[in-house]
Amino acid sequence: MSAPTQRPSVVYGRPVTTDGVRNLYSGTSVKPWTPPVPGIDNLGITSVDTFAVPGVGEYTVPFDGFVRVVRSQPTSEEWSKAEVYTNLIEMKMEGSCEELGHITVTLNPDCLSTGQIRTPFDPYAGEGPAAKACRMAVGAIFDMPKLGLRLANKEPIILTIDDVRQIPPAGSPGKGQIYRMLPLHDVERMDDSPVAYVTSLRFTMGGYLPWERFGSEYKEFGK
Amino acid sequence: MSAPTQRPSVVYGRPVTTDGVRNLYSGTSVKPWTPPVPGIDNLGITSVDTFAVPGVGEYTVPFDGFVRVVRSQPTSEEWSKAEVYTNLIEMKMEGSCEELGHITVTLNPDCLSTGQIRTPFDPYAGEGPAAKACRMAVGAIFDMPKLGLRLANKEPIILTIDDVRQIPPAGSPGKGQIYRMLPLHDVERMDDSPVAYVTSLRFTMGGYLPWERFGSEYKEFGK
């Protein structure tokens, strides 16, 4: 619930402090084309992931859950110049399919999952302000109790959202930039060969969630 | 020149031992569609990388150099079933352009750069044996003395080669799977915002190099 007190061993980008940063829930107003003050966005998320297990099969699983993302002070008040850095501080997504059973996806505490929002170097041509590109490098744990497995990625999962016109990009579709396969390792044997792969990942950022969604432990952050 | 004695803090995949593994240089014969015994491949490489420096510009630089890659025992003698794991144990590429000056790219000693070769889950349809897919996750240092900068990636650079019909895939073109931008950090300020980005990377694996290319220190590994 709070920021990690111990530094994760793998840091994929720029750390962002949660000190003094306000939690934002349902009812938060979001202005398009406007860099916002720092906040912790408590957002819904859905995802459709495909897992390949060598010699067994390929399974596509829909997930539903939430993410908590801390955003930095923008580097500029001007939309076109602003860079915003983000850390994924909590995630919980659940899904299931017959063969793999129930799957819970959470953050890997050994990794700091980091991201940024900036104007891309190859913006789409168009009228009006330039849309931004959002990217995040994520270390996750895929808990699959039916198989007796907890899997983790060692290469980050790169999640991207294009055409970002507001921060956070609630409602936007995004993609895991996986080229053919992303290896997943058994957390008990991280130095062994991968035991499964993610071969596709498509997600959609949801909107702000009500603080009640996070349980009474989050009440202190309520509005 | 030898395997790292201290474990790097970031390990992108499966470690592969160099113990008792023979160095391979020019003259090594490579059999298509045949998983080879372990070896350290001493290969040429060329690459064309594009760097974006925010507010300054985008620069495309051709590089030339070598890599040394240790390969594991294949998991099967049968091509279609074999998986081969790799570690990039040394790299040196040099290039230059007017604005950025001379650039030397080497491995980041804080990262273990790892890879694998396996039959993809989405093989291309075709006759004969299925070609394999090669991928490697690389942590590099870009030394740019003209700018007084040494830059490092924190997310790995994912290098991929498709349509692999022999191991090593000498002569094959490959691509850095960079979605729009890969952040580069100043090695002196790794927790700060990125100072530059790689926006494109295309490479070609060369063939085996003569051992003399590596200088007298490598003579012990000569055939």
Side-chain angles (χ1 to χ4, degrees):
Chain A
M1 184 177 113
S2 54
T5 49
Q6 204 180 336
R7 186 183 164 93
S9 60
V10 178
V11 177
Y12 289 127
R14 187 185 131 177
V16 174
T17 185
T18 55
D19 286 355
V21 181
R22 191 169 170 229
N23 270 271
L24 302 172
Y25 298 101
S26 301
T28 303
S29 68
V30 177
K31 272 194 207 165
W33 315 113
T34 307
V37 298
I40 295 174
D41 295 325
N42 294 279
L43 302 168
I45 185 170
T46 59
S47 179
V48 177
D49 302 5
T50 301
F51 300 92
V53 185
V56 180
E58 212 163 347
Y59 308 101
T60 296
V61 183
F63 288 91
D64 189 9
F66 71 86
V67 289
R68 301 182 62 228
V69 183
V70 61
R71 280 184 280 101
S72 72
Q73 182 72 40
T75 57
S76 168
E77 290 183 10
E78 205 177 313
W79 173 262
S80 66
K81 292 180 182 166
E83 293 165 28
V84 172
Y85 292 88
T86 60
N87 287 179
L88 190 50
I89 57 173
E90 196 176 349
M91 171 171 65
K92 186 174 184 186
M93 302 181 64
E94 296 182 278
S96 63
C97 73
E98 199 183 320
E99 298 84 351
L100 303 179
H102 190 80
I103 304 172
T104 305
V105 188
T106 52
L107 289 182
N108 184 343
D110 290 340
C111 303
L112 182 65
S113 294
T114 62
Q116 67 180 115
I117 300 170
R118 65 164 291 136
T119 306
F121 301 101
D122 55 345
Y124 299 118
E127 288 184 17
K132 290 192 170 296
C134 176
R135 63 198 312 285
M136 183 160 265
V138 178
I141 303 273
F142 300 82
D143 193 12
M144 301 183 178
K146 180 176 174 179
L147 306 187
L149 280 176
R150 296 182 76 224
L151 304 177
N153 57 298
K154 295 172 81 172
E155 300 170 18
I157 305 167
I158 305 296
L159 301 181
T160 62
I161 301 176
D162 286 324
D163 197 21
V164 170
R165 297 157 184 237
Q166 60 179 40
I167 299 172
S172 289
K175 197 166 177 281
Q177 297 298 332
I178 294 165
Y179 189 72
R180 305 194 94 167
M181 59 186 106
L182 180 94
L184 297 179
H185 298 259
D186 183 334
V187 294
E188 302 296 333
R189 291 181 287 276
M190 287 292 275
D191 272 354
D192 282 7
S193 301
V195 295
Y197 297 83
V198 181
T199 55
S200 169
L201 193 164
R202 288 178 182 277
F203 70 98
T204 300
M205 286 308 305
Y208 282 112
L209 295 174
W211 69 261
E212 293 87 349
R213 169 76 173 72
F214 293 83
S216 59
E217 69 204 286
Y218 285 85
K219 192 166 181 179
E220 58 181 298
F221 295 124
K223 303 194 339 158
Chain B
M1 183 176 113
S2 54
T5 49
Q6 205 182 333
R7 185 184 166 90
S9 60
V10 178
V11 177
Y12 290 127
R14 189 185 130 176
V16 174
T17 184
T18 54
D19 286 355
V21 182
R22 190 168 170 233
N23 271 270
L24 301 171
Y25 298 101
S26 300
T28 303
S29 69
V30 177
K31 272 194 207 164
W33 314 112
T34 306
V37 298
I40 294 173
D41 295 324
N42 295 278
L43 303 168
I45 187 170
T46 58
S47 180
V48 177
D49 302 5
T50 302
F51 300 92
V53 185
V56 180
E58 212 163 349
Y59 308 101
T60 296
V61 183
F63 288 91
D64 190 11
F66 71 86
V67 289
R68 301 182 62 228
V69 183
V70 60
R71 280 184 281 101
S72 72
Q73 182 72 40
T75 57
S76 169
E77 289 182 11
E78 205 178 312
W79 174 262
S80 66
K81 292 180 181 165
E83 293 164 29
V84 173
Y85 293 87
T86 59
N87 288 177
L88 189 51
I89 56 174
E90 196 176 348
M91 171 171 65
K92 187 174 184 185
M93 302 180 65
E94 295 182 280
S96 62
C97 74
E98 198 184 322
E99 297 85 351
L100 304 179
H102 190 80
I103 304 172
T104 305
V105 188
T106 53
L107 288 181
N108 183 343
D110 290 338
C111 302
L112 183 64
S113 295
T114 63
Q116 67 179 112
I117 300 170
R118 67 163 290 132
T119 306
F121 301 100
D122 55 344
Y124 299 118
E127 288 183 18
K132 288 192 171 298
C134 177
R135 65 198 312 287
M136 183 160 265
V138 178
I141 302 274
F142 300 82
D143 194 10
M144 303 183 176
K146 180 175 173 179
L147 306 188
L149 280 176
R150 297 183 74 225
L151 304 177
N153 57 299
K154 293 172 83 172
E155 300 171 19
I157 304 167
I158 306 296
L159 300 180
T160 63
I161 301 176
D162 287 323
D163 198 23
V164 171
R165 297 156 183 239
Q166 61 179 35
I167 299 172
S172 290
K175 196 165 176 286
Q177 297 297 332
I178 293 166
Y179 188 72
R180 307 194 91 169
M181 59 184 107
L182 180 94
L184 297 178
H185 297 258
D186 183 335
V187 296
E188 303 296 332
R189 289 180 288 274
M190 287 292 273
D191 273 353
D192 282 6
S193 302
V195 295
Y197 297 83
V198 181
T199 56
S200 167
L201 193 163
R202 290 180 180 276
F203 69 97
T204 301
M205 286 307 307
Y208 282 112
L209 295 175
W211 68 262
E212 293 87 347
R213 167 76 172 71
F214 294 85
S216 60
E217 68 204 290
Y218 286 85
K219 192 166 182 180
E220 57 182 301
F221 296 123
K223 302 186 352 155

